[in-house]
């Protein structure tokens, strides 16, 4: 295992080195939070693919393949579909807004007053997303070093917090690019073909497994529909995803770079399901489906290759974790703390804001590590995060982009009604039930439409400023959007 350990240690050291290098570039708020909005197509595509394909997509995707066969690809497939929809239909407009958070977009569209409430919901989502990624370190380090769960979470989490705090989005972008390459080589080019060969090829896999393992819809229509609601729609509105869109050099980069990343996700989804199916042939009686990835890597791969593939799993977890962490800190600082304090910084003070954003990443990172140690169930934590996001924020965000008649009162009603419905139904029907997101989304839509139609239309000046911003003709805001009454 010495060679494998060396590969992992070199990889982790490289992540910290890139954090240090990124610190030298992040000299302003724009550089620190959105990499100066300067990423070209290659880096944009790689980093976008890296953030959406995390531990759940890699370890969980293989586990679903082990449990359901090829139809286990649907979870990651719907993530790819969401990224494609975002890139083709919305990313160009989002990139032209030149904001830092989803809540700032809502304030621009509706004329202020929506930021704090929507910020709290988005903060809860990004925090839980970061927590679920951090919990996954325990699985990987347990395979690598037979390490205690708490120590594994602290070690993995501390490395991500360190490079994210040092250089912000520049550090995260550089590390994500490396992680994208490592994932591609480790999972697609090495683990996938080796797993299929070890299982005897596709003909042997078909001979040894039930036919439903090769049914594209074997996981069930209701499950696929729920994945679409949670993950496809979740990709459209998450702060972690939007913050990457904000890094694009141009709206064309956001559109086509995101399309490439979304297509990559579809390939990655199928690869994970095939690897899981091969693992079912090799290890038909594993105690847990989520153990399939670690088991096949540990038992079937040669020395060195094993270390690289485990580094790929670590890369998947770290990319999502760091993206969720900077999103969580950005929302906490810009949408909640600054607004509650009533702080509006004048133009020209972005440089001073780097220190504050860096402090919030460190603070949120410590909160994420502590929460990850306290929680055990990754699936439940991730489900809570996406239910709140989709049930509370999908309608006012897409409504703001697509429906001129939507008002700030309607948006606030949608956030509150949808959020309360989701929380209530999770309490009564269970966190993993489908009803919370179904009825939460419907109640949010009903509240948005009804309240918007009952209240005065959004001020014409606010809508005019919004259209200018969407068209890319307005300057970037130094800090917060100016409320309608100013």
């Amino acid at each position: 295992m010495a060679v494998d350990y060396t590969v992992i240690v070199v990889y982790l050291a490289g992540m910290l080195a890139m954090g240090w290098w990124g610190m030298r570039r992040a000299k302003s708020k724009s550089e620190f939070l959105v990499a100066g909005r300067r990423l070209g197509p290659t880096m944009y595509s790689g980093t976008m693919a890296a953030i959406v394909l995390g531990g759940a997509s890699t370890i969980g995707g293989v586990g679903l393949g082990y449990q359901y066969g090829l139809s286990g690809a649907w979870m990651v497939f719907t993530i790819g579909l969401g990224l494609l929809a975002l890139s083709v239909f919305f990313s160009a407009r989002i990139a032209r807004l030149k904001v830092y958070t989803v809540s700032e977009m809502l304030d621009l569209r509706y004329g202020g007053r929506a930021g704090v409430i929507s910020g709290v919901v988005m903060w809860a989502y990004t925090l839980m997303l970061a927590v679920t990624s951090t919990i996954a370190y325990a699985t990987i380090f347990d395979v690598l070093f037979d390490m205690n769960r708490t120590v594994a979470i602290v070690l993995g989490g501390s490395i991500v917090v360190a490079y994210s705090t040092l250089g912000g989005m520049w550090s995260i972008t550089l590390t994500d690019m490396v992680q994208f390459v490592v994932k591609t080589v480790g999972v697609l080019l090495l683990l996938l073909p080796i797993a299929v060969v070890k299982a005897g090829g596709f003909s042997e896999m078909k001979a040894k497994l039930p036919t439903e393992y090769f049914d594209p819809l074997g996981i069930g229509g209701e499950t696929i529909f729920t994945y679409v609601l949670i993950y496809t729609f979740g990709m459209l509105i998450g702060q972690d995803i939007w913050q990457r869109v904000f890094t694009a050099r141009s709206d064309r980069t956001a559109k086509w770079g995101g399309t490439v990343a979304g297509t990559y996700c579809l390939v990655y989804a199928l690869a994970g399901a095939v690897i899981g199916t091969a693992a079912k042939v090799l290890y038909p009686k594993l105690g847990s489906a989520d153990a399939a990835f670690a088991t096949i890597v540990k038992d079937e791969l040669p020395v060195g290759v094993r270390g690289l593939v485990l580094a790929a799993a670590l890369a998947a977890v770290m990319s999502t974790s760091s993206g969720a962490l900077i999103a969580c800190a950005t929302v906490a600082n810009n949408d909640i703390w600054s607004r509650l304090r009533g702080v509006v910084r004048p133009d020209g003070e972005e440089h001073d804001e780097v220190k504050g954003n860096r402090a919030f990443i460190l603070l949120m990172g410590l909160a994420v590590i502590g929460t990850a140690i306290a929680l055990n169930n990754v699936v439940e934590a991730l489900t809570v995060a996406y239910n709140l996001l989709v049930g509370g924020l999908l309608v006012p965000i897409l409504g703001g982009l697509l429906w001129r008649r939507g008002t700030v009162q309607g948006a606030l009603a949608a956030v509150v009604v949808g959020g309360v419905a989701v929380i209530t139904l999770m309490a009564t029907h269970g966190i993993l039930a489908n009803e919370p997101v179904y009825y939460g989304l419907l109640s949010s839509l009903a509240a948005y439409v009804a309240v918007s139609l009952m209240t005065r239309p959004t001020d014409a000046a606010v809508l005019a400023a919004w259209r200018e911003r969407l068209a890319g003709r307005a300057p970037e805001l130094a800090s917060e959007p100016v409320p309608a009454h100013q």
Side-chain angles (χ1 to χ4, degrees), residues 92-168:
R93 281 183 281 178
I94 293 170
R96 287 195 293 265
L97 289 174
K98 303 294 184 186
V99 294
Y100 293 101
T101 68
V102 174
S103 294
E104 287 181 356
M105 167 264 169
L106 291 173
D107 275 356
L108 278 170
R109 165 60 181 82
Y110 294 111
R113 303 193 302 278
V116 174
I117 295 177
S118 61
V120 169
V121 176
M122 190 64 77
W123 173 80
Y125 157 72
T126 52
L127 179 74
M128 295 309 292
L129 186 62
V131 166
T132 58
S133 301
T134 305
I135 291 173
Y137 295 128
T139 302
I140 299 168
F141 282 114
D142 179 53
V143 175
L144 284 172
F145 308 116
D146 192 26
M147 188 178 289
N148 173 271
R149 179 181 184 275
T150 299
V151 174
I153 288 172
V154 170
L155 175 60
S158 296
I159 292 170
V160 170
V161 171
Y163 72 70
S164 300
T165 302
L166 285 172

Side-chain angles (χ1 to χ4, degrees), residues 142-386:
D142 179 53
V143 175
L144 284 172
F145 308 116
D146 192 26
M147 188 178 289
N148 173 271
R149 179 181 184 275
T150 299
V151 174
I153 288 172
V154 170
L155 175 60
S158 296
I159 292 170
V160 170
V161 171
Y163 72 70
S164 300
T165 302
L166 285 172
M169 187 59 83
W170 268 122
S171 295
I172 292 170
T173 296
L174 294 170
T175 53
D176 277 1
M177 212 42 216
V178 173
Q179 288 157 354
F180 170 73
V181 173
V182 170
K183 278 194 285 194
T184 302
V185 174
V187 175
L188 297 184
L189 302 184
L190 292 175
L191 182 57
L192 175 60
I194 290 173
V196 172
V197 170
K198 291 281 187 177
F202 285 105
S203 58
E204 188 70 14
M205 290 162 64
K206 286 185 175 181
K208 289 187 175 180
L209 294 173
T211 55
E212 55 263 29
Y213 264 72
F214 301 91
D215 179 1
L217 303 178
I219 199 170
E222 185 178 354
T223 299
I224 295 171
F225 180 67
T226 302
Y227 284 159
V228 170
L229 274 187
I230 294 177
Y231 298 114
T232 302
F233 287 134
M235 285 294 108
L236 297 179
I237 58 174
Q239 170 68 24
D240 52 323
I241 309 301
W242 277 42
Q243 200 156 343
R244 292 310 172 94
V245 176
F246 299 151
T247 67
R249 179 192 300 162
S250 64
D251 52 9
R252 182 178 175 84
T253 297
K255 181 175 182 178
W256 294 109
T259 301
V260 170
T263 305
Y264 178 90
C265 291
L266 303 184
V267 175
Y268 200 88
L270 185 58
V274 171
I275 292 166
T277 305
K280 183 67 175 180
V281 173
L282 295 167
Y283 313 100
K285 298 186 184 298
L286 285 179
S288 166
D290 283 342
F293 179 89
T295 304
I296 197 168
V297 169
K298 195 172 184 179
D299 294 350
E300 303 297 336
L301 299 186
V303 171
V305 173
R306 180 172 49 206
L308 183 59
V309 173
L310 286 171
L314 203 55
V317 175
M318 284 187 159
S319 57
T320 300
S321 181
S322 58
L325 176 59
I326 193 171
C328 179
T330 302
V331 170
N333 188 15
N334 289 264
D335 293 339
I336 301 175
W337 178 244
S338 293
R339 293 166 190 259
L340 291 177
R341 290 174 63 209
V343 175
V344 180
R345 298 188 183 280
D347 291 348
E349 289 193 17
E350 284 196 357
H351 179 83
D352 296 332
E353 294 188 51
V354 172
K355 185 183 295 184
N357 282 296
R358 185 172 279 138
F360 264 87
I361 290 181
L362 179 59
L363 182 64
M364 291 299 107
L366 294 174
V368 165
I369 291 172
T371 308
I373 292 171
L375 290 179
N376 281 314
N377 196 312
V378 179
V379 176
E380 287 193 358
L382 193 63
T383 302
V384 169
Y386 273 99

Side-chain angles (χ1 to χ4, degrees), residues 446-464:
Y448 181 70
V449 173
V451 175
S452 291
L453 292 175
M454 288 188 296
T455 51
R456 293 181 61 185
T458 303
D459 187 88
V462 172
L463 286 177

Side-chain angles (χ1 to χ4, degrees), residues 402-446:
L402 300 173
W403 192 38
R404 177 186 174 92
R405 187 60 180 83
T407 66
V408 66
Q409 294 88 352
L412 289 170
V415 174
V416 173
V417 171
V420 170
V422 164
I423 292 170
T424 302
L425 289 166
M426 282 193 295
T428 56
H429 288 71
I431 289 174
L432 299 180
N434 292 326
E435 286 82 1
V437 72
Y438 291 174
Y439 296 114
L441 193 53
L442 286 173
S443 61
S444 179
L445 177 60

